[in-house]
Every structure is written in structure tokens, then in C-alpha cells.
Amino acid sequence: MEVDFSYQSQRMNLLFSTLKWMLDSQQIGITLEELSKRVDLGEWETQHLFQEYLGKDPIRFVQDAFSPSLAQVSRQAQLSIFDLFDDSLSDSKPSIDLDIHLLEEIPSEIQYSIFPYFLGSVFIASNESGICQLTFEDSEVGSIRLRRTFPKSTIREEKTALQELAYQTLMNYFVKTEDLPVLPIAVKATSFQVSVWNELAKLPNGELTSYGAIAQNLGDINASRAVGTAVGANPIAMLIPCHRVVHQSGKVGNFRWGSWRKQLLLGIEK
């Protein structure tokens, strides 16, 4: 059954333009009343719009998005043996379960679709083995990148069940209420790139890391530059959370799909 995105698209477009405006104009001290007038909704409706997609209050989001500690890597205290039995620590786990693996051979056919999303339209491509690309259309034309990556594959616009599963995962990304199936990610990459992306996939929601920390986890403290290159080549936005990699200095840093979008993501997850 084909889903009608028209109503949801309007709401997501409104939220997207509002979030972008809040960052661009540095709306640090905005009130709920002022925000409601801006979006031409009642205060309750404005709160509901943010809660529906971000899972948090709009004013709390503003405070987090402009927090001086937004991009600071937190150093976790070393656990004692008693902490192993502390149920309060059981929520520290990845919010998305991924099966990231290399394509054994170049797929003969790849399908793609473009979906509405409150952080910008997303391009999702899949092959018979899994999702091979998920990118933001306003930052790069997804079909161009896909054809460059898979020049010998037949590429056509067609919605698949895997794409819809990936999209549903995105829709539940910040407001997850139930466990989602493991999402297969089948990418054209090097073994090193996949090892870096798997490290990213292990990060719990809201936890930040650095290039150096990933390099150390992979057993080579001198591989920070290579890690940075692998992070920048990530073809699966958000689900492989390269936005959670920040500078050790506390700077948000660059992001393939815009530093402003990275600030939004970190603000939502904080």
C-alpha cells in the first residue's frame, strides 16, 4: 500500500525550515511564544511538532544546540565490578542495529527513492544485499554519487522494502519506541573503511568520539588521518553516525552534509 506523504511532508518541511532558521539567526534566547508565532502554530502544536520528530521540547533543543559543551567528548569513568550489576547502565547501547558488510560483487541492479525528512530530503539506494547509500539531497545529488560509485550497475528509481525499512528507521531515530529489525548495509568500500564505520555504529545515541579515539580502538594510534578520510567517505548518513565524531578541542567540525546539520543532530541527541 502506497503511503501518502503529503501531510507529513508539510510538517517536516516546516520543522526543517524552522530548525535551519533557528541556527542561522542564532535564536539562543527564543521563547515558546515567539517560536509559535514564527511557525504560525499554537504553543501546544509547536511543542507537539518538535516532540513528534525530535523527541524533545523546542526550548530544550535550543539550549542544547547552543550549549558550549555541545561537541565535547565525554570521558567515561572506569567501571567497577559493582557497576556491572547496576541496571541504570543497561540503556547504554546503540539505538540502531546495523549489519555492515562489503559487497562481494558489484550489484547488477540498484534501486533508489527520495523520501521527505525533517532534516532534509533523503536519497536511499538499495541492492539485493542491503542499503548502499543514504544521503541528503540538498548537499549532494544522490543519483550522481551513486552512479559514480557503481558505474557498471543498472540504476533506476524504484521504491523497495529495504528502502522503506531504512526510512522507517530514520523516522524512529530520535523517538524510538520499539525495537527495529537489523538493517543490512551492503557497501562498496575498503576493509579499513568498514572497520571505522563499525566503530561508529557501536556508539550509543548522544555519545561523541574523536578520530584519535577511533584509531586507538582499531589498534593504531597513528591512524587518525586515515580514520578521518574513512569518516568523510561514509555513504550512509545518520545510521552510520559520523556526525558523532568531533574535534578533541570541542569544535563541531566539518560534515559532508553541512556543519549546520551536524550541529542540529548533536543538539537533538544531547
Side-chain angles (χ1 to χ4, degrees), residues 110-115 122-127 130-135 142-143 146 150 155-156 158 160 162-163 166 184-186 235-236:
I110 300 175
Q111 298 80 35
Y112 74 86
S113 298
I114 297 174
F115 296 83
V122 289
F123 177 99
I124 305 179
S126 61
N127 54 67
I131 299 297
C132 56
Q133 184 177 312
L134 194 161
T135 50
S143 59
L146 187 65
F150 300 97
I155 296 173
R156 66 177 185 272
E158 180 183 331
T160 67
L162 264 179
Q163 294 165 16
I185 304 293
I236 310 292

Side-chain angles (χ1 to χ4, degrees), residues 123 133 135-146:
F123 177 99
Q133 184 177 312
T135 50
F136 288 100
E137 278 291 275
D138 63 328
S139 295
E140 59 179 328
V141 179
S143 59
I144 293 178
R145 178 176 182 173
L146 187 65

Side-chain angles (χ1 to χ4, degrees), residues 63-130:
Q63 294 171 345
D64 289 340
F66 292 106
S67 169
S69 63
L70 176 67
Q72 288 185 358
V73 178
S74 58
R75 297 185 178 278
Q76 303 231 355
Q78 187 173 358
L79 298 180
S80 72
I81 189 172
F82 301 104
D83 292 325
L84 299 176
F85 302 97
D86 187 349
D87 291 337
S88 67
L89 300 176
S90 61
D91 290 335
S92 180
K93 60 181 181 181
S95 53
I96 305 295
D97 289 326
L98 303 178
D99 174 22
I100 306 174
H101 55 277
L102 291 169
L103 285 166
E104 295 183 0
E105 58 184 29
I106 300 301
S108 58
E109 293 188 353
I110 300 175
Q111 298 80 35
Y112 74 86
S113 298
I114 297 174
F115 296 83
Y117 193 52
F118 74 90
L119 290 174
S121 297
V122 289
F123 177 99
I124 305 179
S126 61
N127 54 67
E128 61 182 9
S129 300

Side-chain angles (χ1 to χ4, degrees), residues 51-52 95 168 171-180:
Q51 289 284 355
E52 181 179 5
S95 53
Q168 192 58 46
M171 294 298 290
N172 286 279
Y173 196 83
F174 302 110
V175 290
K176 185 181 176 186
T177 56
E178 59 184 16
D179 290 335
L180 296 169

